[in-house]
Amino acid sequence: MVILKCKILSLWTISFLMLTPVNSERTKDKMYEPIVGAVACFRRLNGTHQFGCSSHRSGNVGVIHIVQGEEDLDWLLHDAPAEPYTAVIRPEMFTRKVMLQFKHSDNVNGVILIHNSTSAPTNFTHEDTCPNRYSGLSSFKSQLCTDQSPWNPHGTGLMQVDWGFPIFYVKDPDSIQKISDCFHKHNTKLENHLIQSLCAIETSAYMYAAVDSKTCIRRSTMVTNFNPVRFCDPLGDRNVWSTLFPLSREPQENASYIVVAAQMDAASMFDGVTPGARSPVTGIVTLLTTASILSSMFKNHTELHSKNVLFLLLNGEAYDYVGSSRLAWDMVRKAFPISHDQLFAFIELGQLKPSSRKVYIHKYSEKLKNFVEIMKKEGEKVNLEFVESIAATFPPASFQIFSKHNKELPGVIFADFDTQFSNNYYHSIFDTAAAINYKYANGSELKNDSIQMQLFNISTALANSLAIAIANGSINRSGMEGNSNITAAVVDELLHCYLESSDCPIFRAATSPGRRASSSPPALYVGVSVWQNVATTLTAQALAYLTGDALNRSEVECHPSSEDDFLYQYLWIKGPVTSSNNSEQGVCYRSTYNYTIAVSPAFEIEDYDWASGVYSTWTESIWREFSVRIFLRPSRQHEIATLSAGIVVLVVSFIVVHFTTSRSNTLFCNTAGSNTDTRL
Amino acid sequence: MSLNKSIKEMDLTKMKNDKKLYLCRWYFHAGFLILPFLWCVNAVWFSAEAFWKPPYEEQKQIKKYVVLSACGALIWIVALISWIVVFQTHRAEWGAAADRMSFIIPTGIP
């Protein structure tokens, strides 16, 4: 009878539990509100140091404090009672002075940069005042950049600081609203910070690598290790090159090459936000346009020329010239078809957004006097004024690396600046289309002072000057200029591709027919060498498309063959969209474009001395995830109360269990001894 | 039943004295194969037999093995703790050598 009663009781309890409405939302989801679209600053290392940010393994938690001005800053640094705090600031506050105060304060364990307006601060560059200070020709007295006469005068150098905390950048308006609402609702009563619950933010960006590249590469390649972990990867990708005439059409021994080079990568403090409009996109676009004009000029000229043009797009240059140092190294050890002593001159396209009609010429050797004179004349024809820079030193440029290997090599840089950068957003998140006043014209007529026309004019002047230099006056120039059917629309389209959307006419035409393109612009950060950068592939294929020949071949025949000595690359791409061309059909393009590896020789040379500074040693740390979420952190009193309650419950439960065990027979309706050990 | 039997055999109170001595000696000898944990177990397990049980013929020998095992275990513990302290405090500055000694290299710190 007793047993029956017990059973009924327990059945009743179970059915009661089952009938209670159950809310299946996880506690985690009730507590946290994720902040989407937050991008992190991450850790990079060179041969001797670590730079950038990392959180604790499980993320940093800090009370949100939106810092609006000096007063807020003072309170946060000196009087804030409920530390740690996470400072939320706008770009105007993101200065070296403020950031270093945060770094040295015990009150702050994270920084969130928010920006949701369209206007950018007047300057915002966290690169060094002397970019690539320790590489290139820095050992030569005349090339020394100093803080007294810097190239990047607004540079704060914050990218070269090892922050002990995470820094995130949020620009999604909804996320900013969430943070702001939560702050205003819970955190504005400063005097109550110790006694009330506060809105806190958890920022998680844990970095695996530490110390320096030497250490993390050694640890990543350790073979005795039972638990192999990758700590960091070398920065690097591929360089892109092509020649005006295929290599075999000239006598190899006394062939000489005029190099036209541009840097291909941008940098910024934050992962994935490297718009790089002025540096490097203006340079890339000018180079592509120049190549396109030149190749259309020489399309039907098959006679031999004593000079050829080598177009070079160099990658990883923001990090101590990764691409150029590798290419120069390859040239010296004959791993590249052109050797370094075959280079005749080096023309580099730097940042090009002339504020007036002036373009500055930074000249490294008097040997190029003739060329510069031609260039000036050609510039006048397109309403450009090429002015020789009065700067005492040579600006940071890939040419410095080639000049190291071949001291006689004359070089020249075309740029929009004279003695210091006119780009106030060098290597930052604000170096965008807006910063160079670019608006997509999409076929409509371009104004004469638009960036598109300026870049097109520079390209035209350069292409004409190069044509004169190559042909040595032996062929009818006026006839050739007429041959070029390239217009400024190409510049407009290219800028659209690089600054607004990779799903653009030129990139579509230059990729295979079935490809689905992303609508965001290509990421121009060089990235790690184990991962191929999409921007590089797109640039290379655009170069092939703009300079190559369309062949009448089918897709299966579209490959290199022995009859052209494997001097060309063949690409099966969509080609230009015309009325007669079905958009899903492909075209076979033949071009001289190719890639070379852009990974620093430091990672190839055995027992390289990492502290020597000869080659770039930059690596990027591995991380698992970036996450940011906000939640309500209970006050200290609340936490103490919860803990005490927990301890009381624990003690009580021990007493209850003891009591229950000792009286289990009466409590659980067991007849005495029925369930005792019968195993004996 | 067989499980119960073997459990019962591990119970020292139900074991014959010569068996106890055999077991204690065996543990002591096995400890020399760089198995300090066996010495530790031996010292703890047989301490009651060696010191608190009424005297019997094999107890003296058991006592000897227990004391020796305890000493051995103690030396090991001291040596291990000092090595761990030295290694952990100097790991970062030893650099490559310390990395080669490690099975698991911690992430995110020097």
Side-chain angles (χ1 to χ4, degrees):
Chain A
M1 203 48 202
V2 182
I3 295 169
L4 192 69
K5 249 190 196 163
C6 272
K7 276 188 178 164
I8 290 168
L9 194 75
S10 48
L11 266 178
W12 184 82
T13 323
I14 289 167
S15 48
F16 171 77
L17 281 175
M18 283 174 76
L19 289 174
T20 341
V22 180
N23 191 342
S24 65
E25 200 183 355
R26 297 174 67 180
T27 321
K28 185 193 85 172
D29 297 334
K30 285 186 189 171
M31 281 170 64
Y32 295 105
E33 185 74 44
I35 298 297
V36 293
V39 287
C41 150
F42 52 91
R43 183 173 285 167
R44 293 190 192 95
L45 310 96
N46 70 8
T48 50
H49 290 83
Q50 62 178 37
F51 305 93
C53 320
S54 174
S55 70
H56 296 302
R57 192 181 297 266
S58 50
N60 285 22
V61 173
V63 174
I64 294 177
H65 195 75
I66 300 183
V67 183
Q68 307 269 23
E70 286 296 321
E71 207 176 307
D72 287 347
L73 186 66
D74 261 356
W75 181 84
L76 179 61
L77 293 173
H78 304 116
D79 305 326
E83 84 282 352
Y85 285 80
T86 293
V88 178
I89 56 174
R90 291 182 206 286
E92 296 74 40
M93 295 284 284
F94 201 86
T95 59
R96 186 171 178 89
K97 183 167 162 265
V98 173
M99 288 303 290
L100 288 184
Q101 280 180 309
F102 286 152
K103 177 176 158 61
H104 296 126
S105 162
D106 293 333
N107 279 0
V108 178
N109 77 345
V111 173
I112 311 264
L113 171 67
I114 52 169
H115 179 69
N116 59 350
S117 73
T118 47
S119 64
T122 50
N123 56 62
F124 196 83
T125 163
H126 303 303
E127 183 60 88
D128 198 351
T129 45
C130 294
N132 288 347
R133 185 188 289 253
Y134 302 107
S135 48
L137 289 170
S138 61
S139 45
F140 291 81
K141 196 110 194 138
S142 65
Q143 305 309 323
L144 278 179
C145 167
T146 58
D147 289 333
Q148 283 72 45
S149 58
W151 284 108
N152 188 24
H154 300 294
T156 59
L158 294 185
M159 276 166 79
Q160 282 82 34
V161 173
D162 177 29
W163 304 99
F165 49 67
I167 303 175
F168 274 82
Y169 170 52
V170 181
K171 67 170 178 187
D172 176 51
D174 294 338
S175 297
I176 294 176
Q177 196 58 45
K178 264 187 211 168
I179 294 173
S180 165
D181 287 350
C182 191
F183 170 74
H184 287 293
K185 195 170 166 196
H186 301 282
N187 297 5
T188 37
K189 285 203 188 89
L190 301 182
E191 64 281 3
N192 288 351
H193 266 207
L194 274 183
I195 48 170
Q196 70 176 42
S197 298
L198 297 170
C199 184
I201 192 159
E202 184 199 85
T203 46
S204 176
Y206 178 63
M207 296 294 144
Y208 282 22
V211 191
D212 51 32
S213 292
K214 180 188 175 188
T215 306
C216 76
I217 290 286
R218 179 186 71 221
R219 289 177 175 176
S220 300
T221 52
M222 200 76 90
V223 276
T224 52
N225 198 322
F226 277 4
N227 175 34
V229 176
R230 275 225 327 280
F231 290 82
C232 64
D233 288 315
L235 291 191
D237 191 44
R238 295 156 298 162
N239 298 319
V240 177
W241 64 277
S242 90
T243 50
L244 180 60
F245 309 115
L247 295 180
S248 74
R249 286 208 189 153
E250 59 214 290
Q252 282 291 304
E253 300 78 45
N254 52 17
S256 64
Y257 293 83
I258 301 171
V259 181
V260 177
Q263 306 191 348
M264 204 169 26
D265 67 311
S268 85
M269 261 186 105
F270 301 101
D271 179 44
V273 195
T274 45
R278 197 190 293 218
S279 169
V281 168
T282 52
I284 300 175
V285 169
T286 312
L287 183 137
L288 291 176
T289 316
T290 309
S292 173
I293 297 173
L294 261 184
S295 74
S296 82
M297 277 179 177
F298 284 94
K299 196 134 270 182
N300 301 315
H301 287 268
T302 47
E303 65 262 44
L304 285 180
H305 295 290
S306 59
K307 291 197 187 76
N308 196 345
V309 180
L310 169 65
F311 296 104
L312 274 183
L313 283 153
L314 298 158
N315 221 333
E317 299 296 281
Y319 294 95
D320 291 335
Y321 309 112
V322 173
S324 50
S325 56
R326 176 55 182 264
L327 185 62
W329 187 63
D330 281 346
M331 279 179 169
V332 171
R333 61 181 191 135
K334 310 277 184 226
F336 188 75
I338 298 162
S339 116
H340 65 289
D341 41 25
Q342 286 181 298
L343 305 183
F344 171 75
F346 197 100
I347 297 162
E348 185 163 344
L349 303 167
Q351 307 176 51
L352 289 165
K353 200 266 162 220
S355 52
S356 58
R357 44 192 283 269
K358 268 188 189 162
V359 176
Y360 290 92
I361 301 176
H362 296 260
K363 196 157 45 112
Y364 188 60
S365 158
E366 283 306 309
K367 284 183 198 162
L368 281 177
K369 207 169 165 66
N370 270 343
F371 180 78
V372 168
E373 289 309 317
I374 299 172
M375 197 66 195
K376 282 180 179 168
K377 261 184 228 153
E378 290 298 324
E380 274 166 35
K381 288 184 193 167
V382 288
N383 193 27
L384 278 176
E385 194 186 342
F386 284 96
V387 191
E388 283 177 53
S389 159
I390 55 158
T393 60
F394 202 69
S398 310
F399 168 69
Q400 295 201 1
I401 296 293
F402 288 90
S403 159
K404 240 180 175 176
H405 286 87
N406 183 355
K407 301 235 163 26
E408 301 299 305
L409 180 65
V412 66
I413 297 180
F414 294 109
D416 58 11
F417 56 85
D418 188 4
T419 52
Q420 45 188 229
F421 292 171
S422 42
N423 183 0
N424 289 344
Y425 308 115
Y426 184 69
H427 284 172
S428 89
I429 52 176
F430 292 119
D431 193 4
T432 57
I436 60 166
N437 295 327
Y438 168 72
K439 279 188 194 70
Y440 184 34
N442 197 8
S444 60
E445 202 179 322
L446 291 160
K447 281 197 202 132
N448 271 336
D449 60 344
S450 64
I451 177 81
Q452 293 95 317
M453 277 315 280
Q454 283 179 321
L455 295 188
F456 180 69
N457 289 340
I458 296 170
S459 309
T460 312
L462 180 58
N464 288 338
S465 313
L466 284 169
I468 294 168
I470 297 162
N472 244 343
S474 66
I475 50 170
N476 184 4
R477 262 189 54 228
S478 54
M480 280 175 25
E481 276 168 33
N483 278 354
S484 168
N485 53 359
I486 311 296
T487 65
V490 171
V491 179
D492 187 43
E493 291 296 343
L494 280 170
L495 286 173
H496 173 58
C497 290
Y498 281 103
L499 301 179
E500 292 177 343
S501 164
S502 331
D503 191 16
C504 58
I506 289 191
F507 282 176
R508 258 187 310 224
T511 45
S512 56
R515 171 183 163 268
R516 309 281 307 166
S518 123
S519 62
S520 55
L524 294 168
Y525 170 57
V526 56
V528 291
S529 59
V530 291
W531 195 263
Q532 288 203 342
N533 201 335
V534 180
T536 309
T537 312
L538 289 172
T539 305
Q541 300 204 176
L543 180 64
Y545 167 68
L546 291 170
T547 61
D549 311 311
L551 300 183
N552 194 12
R553 293 201 193 186
S554 71
E555 189 173 1
V556 282
E557 295 166 343
C558 193
H559 55 77
S561 61
S562 54
E563 65 200 58
D564 51 35
D565 298 334
F566 300 98
L567 286 166
Y568 293 102
Q569 296 285 322
Y570 287 76
L571 260 183
W572 183 253
I573 56 177
K574 208 158 129 183
V577 179
T578 55
S579 51
S580 60
N581 180 9
N582 184 339
S583 60
E584 284 314 303
Q585 205 107 47
V587 188
C588 186
Y589 262 72
R590 187 180 72 172
S591 162
T592 57
Y593 93 102
N594 212 332
Y595 300 101
T596 66
I597 298 168
V599 177
S600 170
F603 302 100
E604 309 281 328
I605 299 168
E606 223 167 294
D607 295 326
Y608 176 73
D609 177 8
W610 295 86
S612 68
V614 178
Y615 296 113
S616 166
T617 48
W618 285 96
T619 54
E620 179 186 305
S621 171
I622 301 278
W623 65 81
R624 201 184 296 115
E625 59 154 11
F626 292 145
S627 83
V628 178
R629 49 190 191 172
I630 53 176
F631 64 101
L632 212 52
R633 200 190 78 177
S635 68
R636 191 84 16 108
Q637 291 177 348
H638 189 148
E639 280 177 335
I640 291 167
T642 312
L643 183 68
S644 327
I647 292 168
V648 170
V649 168
L650 182 76
V651 172
V652 169
S653 65
F654 271 115
I655 296 167
V656 170
V657 168
H658 176 76
F659 175 77
T660 320
T661 325
S662 58
R663 323 239 159 150
S664 58
N665 283 350
T666 40
L667 277 167
F668 294 108
C669 334
N670 282 344
T671 33
S674 68
N675 201 19
T676 48
D677 199 342
T678 50
R679 289 167 295 171
L680 298 167
Chain B
M1 281 313 261
S2 67
L3 182 72
N4 277 328
K5 199 175 162 207
S6 63
I7 285 169
K8 241 185 317 176
E9 277 175 5
M10 296 304 283
D11 188 352
L12 285 182
T13 53
K14 297 193 174 84
M15 200 182 277
K16 286 211 178 77
N17 287 341
D18 59 335
K19 197 78 194 288
K20 285 181 202 162
L21 177 61
Y22 168 78
L23 205 60
C24 185
R25 192 194 295 133
W26 195 89
Y27 265 61
F28 174 70
H29 287 155
F32 282 104
L33 304 171
I34 324 176
L35 295 168
F37 201 67
L38 277 190
W39 281 342
C40 185
V41 168
N42 204 21
V44 174
W45 196 20
F46 282 97
S47 58
E49 284 295 325
F51 297 108
W52 290 287
K53 283 282 164 69
Y56 52 95
E57 193 188 337
E58 290 88 354
Q59 195 183 31
K60 211 175 159 198
Q61 270 186 294
I62 291 181
K63 202 182 276 175
K64 185 179 90 187
Y65 289 126
V66 166
V67 170
L68 285 176
S69 294
C71 290
L74 204 71
I75 290 167
W76 265 98
I77 288 167
V78 169
L80 275 180
I81 288 178
S82 14
W83 167 245
I84 288 165
V85 169
V86 169
F87 181 74
Q88 291 300 335
T89 49
H90 292 81
R91 192 182 57 81
E93 73 188 66
W94 288 350
D99 282 353
R100 272 197 298 276
M101 283 183 229
S102 308
F103 284 131
I104 294 169
I105 300 169
T107 56
I109 53 167

